[in-house]
Amino acid sequence: MAGGGQVRGIRDRIRSVSSTAKVTRAMELVAASKMRRAQERAVQARPYAETMRAVLAQLAAATGGGDGASLHPLLQARDVKHVSYVHITADRGLAGGLNSNMNRAGASLVLEYQPKVDRVSVISAGRKGRDFFRRSGMELLADFPELGDFPNFEDVRPIARLIIDDFVAGRVDQVFIGYQRFINAAVQRPTTRQLLPIIAPSEVVSVGKAVDFIFEPSPEELLATLLPRYVEMQVYEAVLEARASEQSARMVAMRQATDAAKEMVSDLTLAYNKARQENITGELLDIVGGKAAVENA
Amino acid sequence: MPLKLTIVTAQRTVLEQDGVTKLVVPAAEGQITILPSHAALMSSLAIGEMVVFTGTASESIAIHGGFIQVANDEVSVLADAAERVDQIDLERAEAGRARAQARLQGRDANLVGGLDVLRAQLALQRSLTRLRVARRRVGGATGAPSSRP
């Protein structure tokens, strides 16, 4: 009977959609708890970053302010032939528009520099970004996949080491980094900024009025130990932000999927009941009709 | 006025302490002592033990390089890594020391480049510092840092 088949079809769909809802709901919960942890890590890294910026600003002021180009190779702006771009994305999807928005922002930076310089290359950290640039035929200088959900400072350091080495050796003249900045659980913003040459933080906020520091060893030597750390710290910070963004985007996407699935289940249930009712009515009519035919015979 | 001390690493804030009366720090150019009203100072740090005195109490912390800034009785330590006594795994530190020493002794066999020797020396320094700091847990936290046994 056609009616029965339809009822069964709807019932199967209800079952399948509601099991999908269960899966997305579970993924939402997992992402929510990972988001809390990722966010906490980003917050915990902040005091170090802030202190380092303040210290660097002091040092920059003590060593003669803006014209630091000759002080340290990492401060040296030069003729730009080769631009490298560090692209940080998630390894996995199911995070709404997070990765594609980041890829778009990265692509627009690359497209902006391609006509201006001889060579633009990409360093990817995250599979989604790597696959995107690989598909579009960009030159991948290096790839750092699988940093995990909660990478350590040590996990991220090789990225910084690579760009520092390339920059100091003159193989790369300018380096940018792009990542999803975590604003809050609902908002992430694709952000790109320059990593090298280092633009020294200028505002001296921490100590109030200018203080005469004793430097041990010399300010120049201190700068030399601090600047590489500063680059490492910036890369680390970017990765932490990207991870907090990833988890919150995934949480929101999964919540929407769960809601959509639940709505679909309720629509399907209505259709199911209606079809079932029609079936029963049809059967009753058959019986009544059959009985009448027997009695009349 | 006592000192206000903050020790941070890239991963976390290790210590925030008010009312510090004396501070012994493994600076790059030798150990220094910081008392309240110390002159403004910026220095890089070596690997070593840092001792924080708060009145009569004291605490030892293993510092693995970094940076210190002193200004207006505020001390900020940017450590590459820092461990308080209860964060040190004694067995691991001991194993690390043994490994580094073995490497240094068998130097001509495996270690050719100067970089590897340096690396092993640094590892040795780190584990010795850890061991020294960890030992304070047993002996109680009093007194100045003793010289090595």
Side-chain angles (χ1 to χ4, degrees):
Chain A
M1 192 161 49
Q6 198 200 354
V7 170
R8 204 171 309 122
I10 295 176
R11 202 174 52 209
D12 289 349
R13 284 204 64 199
I14 290 177
R15 203 172 291 148
S16 122
V17 173
S18 54
S19 76
T20 303
K22 270 182 207 147
V23 172
T24 57
R25 170 82 182 138
M27 289 176 79
E28 176 195 336
L29 293 177
V30 170
S33 95
K34 282 187 178 173
M35 180 191 77
R36 270 190 295 275
R37 207 175 136 200
Q39 213 179 322
E40 201 175 285
R41 286 165 57 89
V43 169
Q44 278 174 341
R46 239 165 247 168
Y48 184 83
E50 277 159 20
T51 316
M52 183 167 262
R53 279 193 197 98
V55 166
L56 259 188
Q58 292 281 359
L59 269 177
T63 47
D67 60 332
S70 55
L71 281 172
H72 193 273
L74 291 179
L75 295 166
Q76 211 162 63
R78 52 180 181 241
D79 242 17
V80 179
K81 290 186 211 70
H82 181 185
V83 166
S84 203
Y85 166 60
V86 181
H87 186 58
I88 298 172
T89 57
D91 284 322
R92 272 159 298 152
L94 293 178
L98 183 91
N99 289 316
S100 42
N101 288 341
M102 191 61 240
N103 287 340
R104 204 173 306 130
S108 82
L109 183 126
V110 167
L111 290 176
E112 185 195 332
Y113 280 89
Q114 253 167 354
K116 294 189 210 163
V117 299
D118 296 349
R119 182 175 167 206
V120 179
S121 62
V122 172
I123 296 168
S124 61
R127 275 188 22 217
K128 289 291 167 180
R130 178 196 67 192
D131 294 349
F132 170 77
F133 278 113
R134 188 175 279 167
R135 267 200 308 276
S136 53
M138 273 298 300
E139 180 196 348
L140 279 176
L141 207 59
D143 173 40
F144 296 88
E146 309 288 340
L147 288 173
D149 287 334
F150 309 106
N152 283 328
F153 196 75
E154 294 303 319
D155 298 330
V156 173
R157 245 177 123 180
I159 305 174
R161 301 280 7 146
L162 176 81
I163 58 170
I164 289 173
D165 288 350
D166 278 355
F167 185 81
V168 171
R171 289 189 290 267
V172 174
D173 307 300
Q174 198 174 14
V175 182
F176 292 89
I177 189 166
Y179 60 97
Q180 285 279 4
R181 196 148 77 91
F182 179 83
I183 311 288
N184 57 49
V187 182
Q188 302 88 35
R189 193 164 296 148
T191 305
T192 51
R193 68 155 75 132
Q194 182 173 326
L195 265 184
L196 291 173
I198 293 174
I199 305 163
S202 53
E203 72 281 13
V204 181
V205 247
S206 63
V207 225
K209 54 179 182 287
V211 185
D212 272 334
F213 278 93
I214 302 168
F215 294 99
E216 274 181 19
S218 68
E220 289 74 17
E221 284 171 272
L222 288 179
L223 215 51
T225 56
L226 218 61
L227 287 176
R229 275 271 145 184
Y230 183 65
V231 177
E232 290 169 5
M233 191 269 303
Q234 279 191 306
V235 176
Y236 181 59
E237 232 185 351
V239 171
L240 290 186
E241 292 268 335
R243 286 300 182 263
S245 295
E246 177 191 344
Q247 298 303 343
S248 51
R250 183 164 299 129
M251 181 186 80
V252 170
M254 288 303 107
R255 180 179 303 156
Q256 280 163 356
T258 310
D259 290 350
K262 280 185 178 151
E263 200 172 306
M264 202 163 164
V265 167
S266 93
D267 287 353
L268 283 172
T269 309
L270 197 68
Y272 170 76
N273 286 338
K274 228 162 105 188
R276 195 175 58 115
Q277 196 62 54
E278 269 163 18
N279 253 357
I280 294 169
T281 313
E283 278 166 20
L284 272 178
L285 282 179
D286 278 352
I287 294 168
V288 174
K291 187 171 176 238
V294 171
E295 279 169 2
N296 289 343
Chain B
M1 194 171 89
L3 298 160
K4 183 173 183 292
L5 168 69
T6 330
I7 303 176
V8 292
T9 67
Q11 314 262 12
R12 69 181 74 82
T13 301
V14 178
L15 180 70
E16 262 185 304
Q17 179 99 52
D18 283 319
V20 174
T21 48
K22 187 168 110 176
L23 203 57
V24 179
V25 182
E29 319 233 295
Q31 199 177 62
I32 55 174
T33 301
I34 295 166
L35 295 168
S37 308
H38 194 282
L41 165 79
M42 282 197 194
S43 171
S44 48
L45 296 176
I47 297 168
E49 177 187 14
M50 175 166 156
V51 192
V52 183
F53 293 86
T54 319
T56 51
S58 76
E59 179 178 359
S60 272
I61 294 162
I63 300 279
H64 305 295
F67 201 82
I68 186 170
Q69 171 182 296
V70 185
N72 303 334
D73 282 337
E74 284 189 20
V75 182
S76 312
V77 175
L78 286 168
D80 292 352
E83 288 150 335
R84 301 175 72 161
V85 170
D86 54 4
Q87 290 162 344
I88 294 174
D89 183 336
L90 207 58
E91 274 169 37
R92 264 190 65 189
E94 184 61 52
R97 183 193 62 81
R99 202 166 47 234
Q101 255 166 1
R103 273 231 203 107
L104 284 172
Q105 268 148 21
R107 128 169 11 183
D108 32 13
N110 289 321
L111 305 177
V112 190
L115 197 67
D116 283 346
V117 175
L118 186 68
R119 201 171 285 156
Q121 278 167 348
L122 287 176
L124 181 61
Q125 259 182 53
R126 275 196 297 272
S127 41
L128 283 176
T129 300
R130 282 199 187 100
L131 289 172
R132 189 169 349 138
V133 169
R135 228 164 266 140
R136 307 215 166 262
R137 175 170 31 193
V138 192
T142 48
S146 56
S147 52
R148 287 198 43 225

